[in-house]
Structures are given as structure tokens and as C-alpha cells.
Amino acid sequence: MTPESWISASKANEGKIKTGWLKSMNDPQLIKITEEALNNNHDLRISALLLQSAKEGTIIGRAARLPSINLGGSNSRSRSNQEPPNYSSNYGLTLAASWEIDLWGRLKNLDRAQYEDLVAARADYEAARLSLAANTAKSWFNLITAQQLLELAEKTKKSYDANYRITERNYKAGDVTASPLAVQFARNQVASAERNLINRRLAREEAARTVELLLGRYPRGELQSGNTLPTLREKVPAGIPSEMLLRRPDLVSASAAIRASAERANASRKDLFPSFSLTGRGSTSSSKLDQLILDPEAIAWSTATSVAQTLFRSGAKKASARIALQQNERSIRRFSSQLLRALREVESALSTERSLAEQTKFLTIELRQAELAEKQASRDYSEGLVRIISVLEAQRRAVASRRAMIFLKNQRLQNRIDLHLALGGDFKSAP
């Protein structure tokens, strides 16, 4: 039994449930990027081809229930040993038909199984589309994050360079607030900022390559993005029904697999019964091809009804029936396992959503205080109240808080996407 509503959902957020989870990300460029990925991604095209193969399989399943007609022809030419030699030609035409009477419904079961395979293939394709859209969105936000961190690294380096020059100049001038230790700290920060800047450039290129690969482009690492992460304007609505999980493509596919295996189990059981077939065959031959074609009455027909049942195969058919039942049970167990994982994914995403929201409140306070301390330290140093080391420490803390805020904003976006992926879509669409 699934819970009527998710345990971790916020009770203070009643209201209208929004639609369109991509649009709820509040980034117009993301829509264009995702559409390009859905149109050009090679892995998604592979899934589309698998879906086409499943559609062809349903045609094969239906054809097995219909009569089979075969038309064959032959031609021979002979030469006599007489003088002068005599040549003769002979043409043959054969028409054969067969039809297995589906008395027990075995072929119907197999046909239904093929249809359920098609349902599963469609769901797998939709799962691939949803996964691609989610991965594209997550990679896009990772790229924006990498761009923000790169710009922060550039600003930090410039700031540390300026502090180092001031500290070294004051030390050489005999300023009592500057010491050899302060110069060493300032030089250390410059080297650290240089290393971090190189690392951020590489991270930005790699993030761009990831998005380009999803878009089906050559991964040059040159894709441009904005430098501002969008803000999630709405909270997760309370009371999301757990039945929303029924629209998850992987669960739709798993439930179709259960039905397909059940149909095949029934077909395997019915294969133990006798099978009935109608067969017909007609053939004729002539030395003249036109006479053969224009004289259908010359064809001699024979029809027969055959009843076939394997009397002894060392229990092979019974074993096949048992195997089919076991496969059906495995499909049921697999669905149950997937359902539990889906429930865990939703609950985890909801808990993380609440936790990240609470962390944001305190990190906002932390960042504001760090920036105030940075400004105050600069003023106090200019008035000779503190040493340069206090300024360097205040700057380091402010930079760390800015970096943490960038990461936290991206983490909230990533988790919201995980929630939509776990639910199989937005917060409104019915199963």
C-alpha cells in the first residue's frame, strides 16, 4: 500500500498545483536547450528505433492468427537424344495455404503479449525522453553554476592581487599593521586564487561539453550560458497524491511487462492442448506457361485438417509452462521493487527540498554577515584599528560564503528536477 500523501510534504503550502515542470524552472533558455536535445540526441533516437521495432512485433503477432498462403513456381527444360534433337519445357505452379485454428486462444494470448510489449516500449521511450530532459536541465544549471564560480574566481583573484600589493607596499614602508606573516598570507591567497581560477576554467569547459553532448553537438566546450541561476518561485504543493507515481514511465513499462508475461504464461499453458490446423495445396504443370496461367480449372486441389499434439517430449512443454509462470512472478517482484524505489526517491527529494530551504535561510544570514565583516575590516584597516591579516581573513570568509550560496542554489534546482523525475512529470498531470 502506498501512502495517501507524501510524509515529507510541507503542510503549510496549500494551493493551486502548477503545470509544466520545465517552465517552472523559470529559465526560458532552458526550454530551447531541452527542445534541441529532444530533437538531436542520438541515444533518444536509439530508443525511438526500439519503439518502431516493437510496433513491427505487433504486426507479426497478428499475422500468426491469420491464414498463411504461399505461391510457388517451377520451370524445367529437357533435350532428347534424337537427331535432330527435340527440346521441351515444363512449367509448374503450386498454391499452398495453412491456418492454425486458435481454438484455445493461445495465439490470441501471444498477440496480446506483443501488444503489451509495445506498451512497455512506448513507456521506455517516454522514460528516455523524461530522463534526457532532466539531465539536460541539470547539466544546463551546472554550466551556469560553473560560469558563476569562474566569474567569482576572477573577481577573487583581482581582489587578492590588490591586497597583496597593498600589504607588501605597507610592509616595505614600515607600516606597523603589516608584518612578514601578513605578506606571506597575502602571497598564499594569490597563489591559491590562481590555482582555483585555472581549475574553474577547466570545470566550465567540461560542463559545457556535457551539455553539448546531450544536444548532439561536437563537445568543444564553447557553449555559452547566462551567469545567473533562476530562482524557484513556488514551493512544492502539499498533499501530492501517491497515485501520481502510476504515470512514471518505468512503472508503466514494468506493469506492461507483468501483463505480457501473464499472456505468455497462458499461451504456454494452452500449448499443452492439441492444436488444429487447416491446410490446402493445389498444383499443376504444363508445357505452356500461358495455358497454365489462363486455365485455373486445371489446378488439382487437396485439403486436409490436421490435429497435432505432442504426446511425449520428456515433459518439455510442461517445463516451458512452469518457466513462463516463473517469469510472470519475476515481473511482479520486479514491479514491486521498482515501486518501492520510486517511493524512496520521492520521499528523499521532498525531505531534501525542505532541508535545502532551511539551509538557505541560514546561509543567507551567513553571507550577509560575512560581507558586512569584509567591509568593516577594510574600514578598520584604513583607520589603523586592525592588522591586514584581519582583512584577509574577512575576505576569505566572504568568498567562501559566496561560493557556498552558488552551490546551494544549484543544489536546490538539481533536487527539484530529481523530484519531477521521481514523480514522472509536473505536480498536476494525472496518471
Side-chain angles (χ1 to χ4, degrees), residues 27-48:
D27 188 341
Q29 194 171 358
L30 173 62
I31 306 296
K32 298 179 181 179
I33 290 291
T34 306
E35 289 177 352
E36 182 178 349
L38 293 174
N39 289 330
N40 301 328
N41 184 268
H42 297 292
D43 291 333
L44 186 61
R45 291 183 178 181
I46 293 174
S47 298

Side-chain angles (χ1 to χ4, degrees), residues 131-147:
S131 177
L132 175 60
N135 287 332
T136 301
K138 296 178 77 170
S139 299
W140 175 250
F141 292 142
N142 283 337
L143 176 58
I144 297 177
T145 298
Q147 179 66 34

